[in-house]
């Protein structure tokens, strides 16, 4: 632990993380900015996991009795603590996940925003009154807390994804156990410390209400397999989801799966091309292509193809790539060597399939992996275009018919985010009807979703929804109640049963 390690020490001290938690352990914390070790953390063993789940179960039994608006007060205090710690936590995200400063700050802002959303939600956990066919009866739908919620998050959004789940789960009356990515343990420890400060200010939050399990695959498997965990919200690859889903189904537990995305953008002849250029460029290069909502496929109409590709190449040539702490850059590093090697394998496969590659070269050497974002002109949607590669690769294809390109757009396994750039109302509405993704946008890119809308996708993306809208219902159980306030006992559907 050298220079960055010293800076990390100051950040973690200000954020309230005990030194022992990041200086005594067996799992190294590494920054993708330089490849150096910046900490070493303790891994939760089987006994610690069991103790955490016992504590979470007890905390749930107490927390569910607290009125929802009072639960919202804890989340309000958490939001205040996040505001106070925003700059330090954002910088930690940059150091450990490699995001440029504005994206690191934006991620912490998402946490603050979901706290605001959840505080309001704490007074809106409403059911329905339902018409009944039986006189002297009232039928209603009531929502109750669910139980222990397990959250498994990925490195690319090391703090926001937990907050999306935790803020909503907490106001719904649940306890939360979080298994963060093993690639970003320090941001997780800092986030937990921030929450713990809010809990102390709250005063009577039950012990074990929100906990963290630092570890590798075994910690996540424990959440998936343990009957004390009622719901697991898991963010990661489709491969991970295929392993998690049947294990949860086997014990009839709930799942919120946020998995891969192979997101496409269509640019029509009527589009505002300057607007489209900015939307496509950020969607494809933001977070070094390491977002689940990254733009990976671009369909350009024949009439605009050559001019638009030329502008894209100019934009790509001018973008700054490098250490976001050392200069004005827009693209930081890939998370590690494995990500770099996957990117190069995908580019080799694209060349083998007839693609023409522009960019993609590594910048520098050592144990940090900076690459130039890649544009790949493809003869069709074949080979690596059909798969998600978590790297800044944008595959470009021609089209001449909107219906045909919509079919092509939908002909991939994932169904997360999609976009069309057009000024033709009929084209826009047709796209919104025909896109098979959970997110469909007009005249903006595929990334940058707001917390007010439910986030998630279809097909191999997993079907889960988290954050805004009515996604709170996934964190609660529904009961249909009927009250008979008459002195008779009529049965439904006219059934007669007289003694």
């Amino acid at each position: 632990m050298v220079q960055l390690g010293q800076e990390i020490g100051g950040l973690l001290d200000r954020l309230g993380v005990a030194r022992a938690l990041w200086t005594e352990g067996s799992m190294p914390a590494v920054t993708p900015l330089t490849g150096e070790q910046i900490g070493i953390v303790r891994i939760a063993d089987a006994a610690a996991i069991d103790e955490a789940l016992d504590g979470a179960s007890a905390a749930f039994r107490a927390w569910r009795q607290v009125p929802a608006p009072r639960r919202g007060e804890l989340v309000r205090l958490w939001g205040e603590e996040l505001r106070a710690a925003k700059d330090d936590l954002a910088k930690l995200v940059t150091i450990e996940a490699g995001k440029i400063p504005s994206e690191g700050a934006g991620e912490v802002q998402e946490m603050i925003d979901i706290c605001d959303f959840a505080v309001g939600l704490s007074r809106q956990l409403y059911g329905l009154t339902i018409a009944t066919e039986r006189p002297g009866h009232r039928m209603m739908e009531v929502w109750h807390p669910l139980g222990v919620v397990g959250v498994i998050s990925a490195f690319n959004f090391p703090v926001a994804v937990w907050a999306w789940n935790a803020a909503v789960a907490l106001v719904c009356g649940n306890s939360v156990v979080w298994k963060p990515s093993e690639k970003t343990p320090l941001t997780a420890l800092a986030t937990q410390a921030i929450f713990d400060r809010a809990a102390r200010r709250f005063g009577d939050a039950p012990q074990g209400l929100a906990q963290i399990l630092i570890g590798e695959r075994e910690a996540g498997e424990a959440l998936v397999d343990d009957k004390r965990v009622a719901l697991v919200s898991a963010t990661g690859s489709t491969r991970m989801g295929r392993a998690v889903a049947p294990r949860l189904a086997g014990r009839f537990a709930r799942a919120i799966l946020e998995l891969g995305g192979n997101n496409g953008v269509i640019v029509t002849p009527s589009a505002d091309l300057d607007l489209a250029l900015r939307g496509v460029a950020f969607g494809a290069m933001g977070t070094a292509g390491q977002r689940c909502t990254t733009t990976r496929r671009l369909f350009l109409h024949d009439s605009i193809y050559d001019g638009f590709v030329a502008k894209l190449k100019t934009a790509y040539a001018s973008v700054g790539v490098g250490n976001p702490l050392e200069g004005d850059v827009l693209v930081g590093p890939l998370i590690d060597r494995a990500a770099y090697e996957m990117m190069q394998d995908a580019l080799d496969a694209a060349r083998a399939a007839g693609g023409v590659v522009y960019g993609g070269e590594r910048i520098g050497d050592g144990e940090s992996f900076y690459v130039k974002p890649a544009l790949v002109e493809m003869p069709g949607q074949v080979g690596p275009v059909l798969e998600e590669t978590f790297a800044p690769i944008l595959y470009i294809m021609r089209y001449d018919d909107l219906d045909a390109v919509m079919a092509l757009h939908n002909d991939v396994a994932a169904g997360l985010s999609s976009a069309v750039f057009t000024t033709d109302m009929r084209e826009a509405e047709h796209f919104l009807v025909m896109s098979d993704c959970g997110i469909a946008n007009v005249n903006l890119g595929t990334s940058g979703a707001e917390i007010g809308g439910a986030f998630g996708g279809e097909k191999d993306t997993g079907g889960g929804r988290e954050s805004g809208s009515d996604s709170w219902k996934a964190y609660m159980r529904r009961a249909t109640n009927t009250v008979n306030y008459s002195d008779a006992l009529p049965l439904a559907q006219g059934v007669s049963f007289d003694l």
Side-chain angles (χ1 to χ4, degrees):
M1 291 178 274
V2 289
Q3 183 177 356
L4 269 178
Q6 294 170 359
E7 184 164 7
I8 283 285
L11 287 172
L12 293 176
D13 284 345
R14 290 196 297 275
L15 290 165
V17 181
R19 287 241 161 192
L21 292 179
W22 64 277
T23 60
E24 302 172 8
S26 59
M27 189 171 79
V30 175
T31 172
L33 302 184
T34 62
E36 69 186 273
Q37 181 176 315
I38 54 174
I40 186 163
V41 297
R42 300 172 181 175
I43 294 178
D45 60 15
I49 293 171
D50 186 63
E51 182 181 358
L53 292 178
D54 265 349
S57 298
F60 164 67
R61 291 191 293 272
W63 190 240
R64 63 173 299 174
Q65 302 297 326
V66 176
R70 174 66 179 156
R71 300 193 296 248
E73 173 63 10
L74 171 59
V75 176
R76 187 189 70 79
L77 294 172
W78 179 25
E80 284 188 358
E81 294 294 337
L82 284 167
R83 285 178 171 86
K86 179 177 178 179
D87 290 345
D88 283 339
L89 185 57
K91 190 164 189 180
L92 190 56
V93 169
T94 291
I95 292 172
E96 196 172 35
K99 293 189 173 186
I100 63 175
S102 65
E103 289 192 88
E107 180 166 356
V108 180
Q109 186 61 48
E110 284 191 41
M111 302 174 76
I112 295 167
D113 292 345
I114 195 62
C115 286
D116 287 348
F117 179 91
V119 171
L121 178 64
S122 69
R123 294 181 180 272
Q124 299 181 76
L125 299 174
Y126 49 80
L128 300 172
T129 299
I130 304 166
T132 172
E133 65 187 67
R134 290 174 284 188
H137 286 58
R138 177 166 58 88
M139 185 163 57
M140 54 193 171
E141 175 184 276
V142 181
W143 294 85
H144 300 282
L146 183 63
V148 179
V149 172
V151 179
I152 300 172
S153 62
F155 78 86
N156 59 327
F157 279 87
V159 292
V161 167
W162 177 70
W164 291 353
N165 286 276
V168 176
L170 287 168
V171 299
C172 288
N174 306 306
S175 58
V176 183
V177 181
W178 177 26
K179 190 277 176 190
S181 170
E182 62 272 18
K183 297 178 182 179
T184 53
L186 301 185
T187 52
L189 289 171
T191 300
Q192 182 68 48
I194 294 168
F195 177 85
D196 290 345
R197 283 203 296 277
R200 288 192 294 271
R201 289 178 60 193
F202 183 76
D204 58 352
Q207 186 75 19
L209 182 60
Q211 299 179 72
I212 185 171
L213 296 178
I214 299 292
E216 298 184 339
R217 180 172 179 170
E218 293 77 13
E221 288 178 338
L223 293 180
V224 170
D225 293 336
D226 198 292
K227 65 181 181 181
R228 288 169 290 187
V229 181
L231 164 70
V232 173
S233 177
T235 300
S237 67
T238 297
R239 178 180 57 81
M240 179 271 287
R242 292 193 192 284
V244 166
R247 292 167 73 159
L248 289 170
R251 64 180 184 87
F252 300 107
R254 292 195 197 175
I256 298 174
L257 298 178
E258 298 291 351
L259 310 176
N262 192 355
N263 313 296
V265 171
I266 298 170
V267 183
T268 74
S270 73
D272 179 332
L273 297 183
D274 289 337
L275 187 70
L277 181 66
R278 295 196 300 275
V280 169
F282 175 74
M285 291 189 282
T287 323
Q290 297 172 123
R291 290 182 180 227
C292 54
T293 53
T294 291
T295 303
R296 308 201 181 278
R297 298 176 296 140
L298 175 61
F299 302 96
L300 298 172
H301 191 270
D302 272 328
S303 63
I304 60 170
Y305 183 94
D306 292 335
F308 197 89
V309 169
K311 289 182 178 181
L312 264 180
K313 288 180 178 178
T314 299
Y316 270 54
S318 66
V319 73
V321 180
N323 187 328
L325 295 181
E326 295 180 352
D328 186 17
V329 301
L330 292 177
V331 178
L334 295 176
I335 191 66
D336 55 22
R337 180 183 295 275
Y340 170 73
E341 291 175 349
M342 283 192 291
M343 179 179 181
Q344 298 310 308
D345 288 346
L347 293 177
D348 288 343
R351 293 184 186 97
V356 177
V357 177
Y358 175 85
E361 304 90 354
R362 186 179 179 188
I363 300 173
D365 52 19
E367 291 305 312
S368 56
F369 295 88
Y370 295 90
V371 294
K372 294 181 179 179
L375 296 171
V376 185
E377 296 185 74
M378 292 295 294
Q381 188 162 269
V382 295
V385 185
L386 296 170
E387 305 293 333
E388 178 189 42
T389 301
F390 226 53
I393 302 174
L394 180 62
Y395 300 107
I396 309 171
M397 291 156 282
R398 295 177 180 267
Y399 84 92
D400 60 12
D401 177 78
L402 186 58
D403 286 325
V405 77
M406 281 306 312
L408 200 63
H409 171 277
N410 292 346
D411 192 24
V412 292
L416 178 53
S417 188
S418 60
V420 67
F421 284 86
T422 179
T423 57
D424 186 317
M425 180 185 72
R426 289 172 293 184
E427 288 179 337
E429 294 294 334
H430 182 68
F431 173 83
L432 294 176
V433 170
M434 297 303 296
S435 172
D436 64 359
C437 295
I439 299 169
N441 296 329
V442 176
N443 293 329
L444 69 159
T446 57
S447 60
E450 296 184 43
I451 58 91
F455 182 87
E458 303 301 326
K459 303 187 297 187
D460 280 9
T461 301
R465 295 295 187 277
E466 57 193 5
S467 188
S469 185
D470 67 346
S471 61
W472 60 270
K473 294 179 178 179
Y475 302 86
M476 304 194 80
R477 63 177 180 84
R478 177 181 357 211
T480 301
N481 302 153
T482 303
V483 176
N484 179 4
Y485 57 89
S486 73
D487 58 2
L489 191 65
L491 301 178
Q493 293 84 46
V495 174
S496 177
F497 188 77
D498 294 323
L499 295 177

